[in-house]
Amino acid sequence: MPILSVGDTEISYTLRRSATAKQARITVSPSSVILVVPDTATDDQIAGVLQRRRAWLVSETRRMSAKVQSAPAIAHFTTGAKIPYRGRMARLRLEPTDGTLVDVAFHNGFIVGVPRGINPNSADSLIETGLRLWLKKRLREDVAAFVAKHGAPNGLKPRAVRIKDQKHLWGSCGQDRIVNLNWQLVFAPKTVLEYAVVHELCHLRHRNHDPEFWGLVATIIPDWQDRKGWLDRNEHLLGWRNVAISAPHVLT
């Protein structure tokens, strides 16, 4: 992986060449820096882009690092621990069960049924897996409801909707009319999730973020700017950080 050195700071980045890119663009996320350039870009042109943006890159990578450190942290999935859910922190309560699988329910907090014979060394991993599965299932249900509410009534019918673990995007909509949404949107308030769904549905009609696109978004969700603003300001809160082990994103 190439490295950009700026004084004492070293920034690792991924270089991608694109046949459709008309100019260079840099995306900085909590986990990576990606530079996309046209197929025809020369090494000197790439170096020039990096040099021109070096101060911004240092500032942005430091900002992202600070956001990661301020994300909700959890050392162990035990009673009393809290994880984000729909825009707030929800408490965990573990209860022993005679079953063989971790069971999750929600009622003013997460109620996690844990098999009595579970190996203590693997408990955290199994509970975390159970929570992720439950959260993804709940997100699929929420998304399906918003697609039904805003899709067909506005003539916006995706071929399919998929929940994915996307590293750099909150959502996307391809030429194949398949809408993809990041599963971590389950940690945002439902109004913000609704905005993300509508955003991608509107790309079925308008591929770019032109005035017509935003106008369509506004006809469906008049306060879309407030919801988008929440997502832009709080992206680092969507998820948790496993401090014991040592995380959209731009909507496209």
Side-chain angles (χ1 to χ4, degrees):
M1 181 177 290
I3 296 175
L4 171 67
S5 296
V6 183
D8 295 332
T9 302
E10 292 190 339
I11 302 172
S12 300
Y13 65 94
T14 299
L15 175 64
R16 294 179 181 169
R17 293 182 178 272
S18 169
T20 59
K22 295 182 179 180
Q23 59 184 9
R25 67 177 184 272
I26 303 174
T27 302
V28 179
S29 76
S31 59
S32 67
V33 175
I34 298 177
L35 170 60
V36 178
V37 299
D39 272 342
T40 56
T42 66
D43 290 345
D44 287 344
Q45 289 173 325
I46 293 171
V49 169
L50 291 169
Q51 286 303 310
R52 287 192 297 273
R53 303 304 301 277
R54 63 185 184 277
W56 176 83
L57 278 166
V58 170
S59 173
E60 196 67 5
T61 52
R62 287 176 178 172
R63 185 177 71 87
M64 285 294 177
S65 178
K67 278 194 170 187
V68 169
Q69 292 305 310
S70 63
I74 186 165
H76 297 289
F77 291 87
T78 58
T79 293
K82 292 183 177 181
I83 64 171
Y85 177 57
R86 288 181 172 173
R88 64 187 183 90
M89 297 301 290
R91 185 175 180 272
L92 303 183
R93 185 171 86 243
L94 272 56
E95 296 183 348
T97 71
D98 295 323
T100 58
L101 300 174
V102 171
D103 181 66
V104 179
F106 187 88
H107 181 69
N108 295 326
F110 287 98
I111 303 167
V112 184
V114 182
R116 298 180 192 277
I118 196 170
N119 185 331
N121 294 326
S122 58
D124 273 338
S125 176
L126 292 174
I127 293 170
E128 181 174 16
T129 297
L131 284 166
R132 287 178 182 270
L133 290 172
W134 187 93
L135 289 164
K136 289 180 180 181
K137 180 176 182 292
R138 180 54 58 91
L139 181 67
R140 289 189 185 94
E141 295 170 352
D142 291 344
V143 168
F146 286 135
V147 170
K149 178 181 179 181
H150 298 299
N154 292 288
L156 305 170
K157 299 180 180 180
R159 188 160 69 88
V161 178
R162 296 173 179 169
I163 306 302
K164 303 182 71 174
D165 190 359
Q166 297 174 290
K167 293 183 180 297
H168 313 297
L169 301 172
W170 290 122
S172 61
C173 178
Q175 295 284 358
D176 54 7
R177 301 183 66 82
I178 293 177
V179 167
N180 299 303
L181 291 162
N182 193 316
W183 82 273
Q184 291 186 326
L185 285 166
V186 74
F187 300 118
K190 287 189 72 174
T191 55
V192 174
L193 170 62
E194 183 179 28
Y195 158 72
V197 172
V198 168
H199 184 117
E200 299 309 333
L201 289 175
C202 288
H203 276 312
L204 294 169
R205 186 173 301 166
H206 301 289
R207 301 303 305 170
N208 301 312
H209 294 116
D210 51 27
E212 290 77 12
F213 169 82
W214 292 115
L216 178 58
V217 173
T219 63
I220 302 173
I221 300 181
D223 65 341
W224 67 268
Q225 289 176 305
D226 292 337
R227 305 188 194 198
K228 179 180 184 299
W230 191 99
L231 187 59
D232 292 341
R233 293 190 304 273
N234 297 286
E235 60 177 350
H236 59 293
L237 300 178
L238 306 191
W240 60 72
R241 188 165 49 91
N242 298 90
V243 295
I245 303 175
S246 134
H249 300 358
V250 179
L251 285 164
T252 66

